Amino acid sequence: MSSRPRDPSCLFCRIVADEIPSTRVFEDDLLIAFRDIAPRSPTHVLLVPRDHIASAAKLTEDDAGLLGRIFASAAEIARSEGIADGGYRIVTNIGEWGGQSVDHLHFHLMGGRRFSWPPG
Ligand code: AMP
């Protein structure tokens, strides 16, 4: 698994370093998960790798372990948030047209309501 240095100007690197507060719901050696500051669903948690990776477009096969951990953690958080049975959504936005506003890889774990498809 490759390691990328922290970017001191990156908002999520600063949240990982606890320089900016967040409401953490999970953390381990590879990632943290915290509540989105502007939730778009009753449960809206962001899963963020500790390493600075700009987006999913920068992932390589070396990141397989990280990705496995992220999805396993998301399923665990979904269970602890009580949204696993009803179903939920995991989203990662890439670039401007994809709707990405923070350039540090993150996965939105959203649930607690029914979602439409396709997204807007
Ligand atoms: P995206 O637009 O896909 O890059 O997602 C970035 C997400 O980060 C948005 O849903 C924001 O509401 C959320 N966000 C921005 N600043 C913070 C913060 N300080 N704490 C928690 N969530 C944040």
Side-chain angles (χ1 to χ4, degrees), residues 11-12 15 34-38 44 46 93 99-102 106 108:
L11 173 65
F12 285 177
I15 288 177
F34 54 89
R35 298 200 187 280
D36 196 292
I37 202 167
H44 189 170
L46 301 175
N93 298 322
Q100 185 177 8
S101 62
V102 177
H106 52 282
H108 298 257

Side-chain angles (χ1 to χ4, degrees), residues 4-21 32 34 48-55 100-106:
R4 285 83 156 186
R6 149 170 207 263
D7 175 351
S9 68
C10 167
L11 173 65
F12 285 177
C13 282
R14 297 190 67 198
I15 288 177
V16 166
D18 252 337
E19 294 169 7
I20 293 174
I32 68 169
F34 54 89
V48 176
R50 289 183 182 275
D51 281 355
H52 181 81
I53 301 169
S55 78
Q100 185 177 8
S101 62
V102 177
D103 290 339
H104 181 131
L105 177 65
H106 52 282

